[in-house]
Amino acid sequence: MTWLTFLIVSGIAVIFAGGLIFSRNAVHGAMCLVASFCAIATLFLLLSAEFIFVVQIAVYAGAIMVLFLFVMMLLNVQGQEGALAGRAPGQLLVALALGAALLGQAVWLVARGGEIISRPARIPAGFGSPEDIGTALFTRNLLPFEITSLVLLAAMAGAVVLARKAGLSPKPNGAPAGGKPE
Amino acid sequence: MIWNATVPFGAWAVLSGLLFTMGAAGFLVRRDPIVMFMCIELMLNAGNLLFVAAARYLGVVDGQVYVFFVMTVAAAEVAVGLAIIVAIFRRKTTIDVDEMSEMRG
């Protein structure tokens, strides 16, 4: 894990994250985000987190982004918005000021952060392997793991209820429920 | 040779802060709710990156377990959020966030 590798991969991640923010087309932004997620997955690999690397590729760059692209395809809304087309006055200024504040905090952390900032990595053998993760997940974190299954169940039921046509109430002006006929 | 020196924790903190900042700025500036959602995902990834880096530099694997939980909750959040966007689009045939002001008091 050297500076050269770190700078190349993190540069790719930052450049494609900028592509998400500045692209006019939402689909292009999604593609940029997939590339950024892959770069971040490579950073996980550099941090000897092999399991998280695989999950990042499969869940984030795979499943979640496919969901985004499906919804874009379903709604077929694109080109209605120029990039950075803020309508509120001073919106861009507020965003830039808040971003500068966050970046300043990061710089302050490095400058004044104390011992952990310059600490070299010291890791035990087998760190980050699926066996190691599994031991931590199913012993010390068993209760959060079980609660996670409840969260997923609730999200699944909620998504089905929300996306169902019959569950929609009519508009206040008397238009029929369900929007466009298919 | 400086290129072969190991990367300190501070570099990861700066990278994570930069990615989070870009996500936050994008969330505030863009008006398309799908793009805003993707900016939220970018912010979550920045947080995950800092978790994994801290796990590595402290030598404690629990940070990676928390990242696993964050990813699960993010997947659930995306499913529900996109279902809400689809439901709103069915009712209003627009998803511009400036048009959604019914709940304003």
Side-chain angles (χ1 to χ4, degrees), chain B residues 17-58:
Chain B
L18 188 61
L19 286 173
F20 189 93
T21 302
M22 295 176 81
F27 180 83
L28 290 174
V29 165
R30 300 298 299 261
R31 314 302 317 152
D32 186 345
I34 297 179
V35 177
M36 290 165 78
F37 244 113
M38 290 196 280
C39 289
I40 293 176
E41 296 304 314
L42 190 61
M43 285 193 272
L44 284 171
N45 257 274
N48 282 349
L49 188 62
L50 198 60
F51 258 127
V52 173
R56 152 107 194 196
Y57 281 82
L58 293 172

Side-chain angles (χ1 to χ4, degrees), chain A residues 160-174:
Chain A
V160 168
V161 167
L162 280 169
R164 204 167 46 123
K165 272 196 165 178
L168 294 172
S169 56
K171 279 185 180 177
N173 59 10

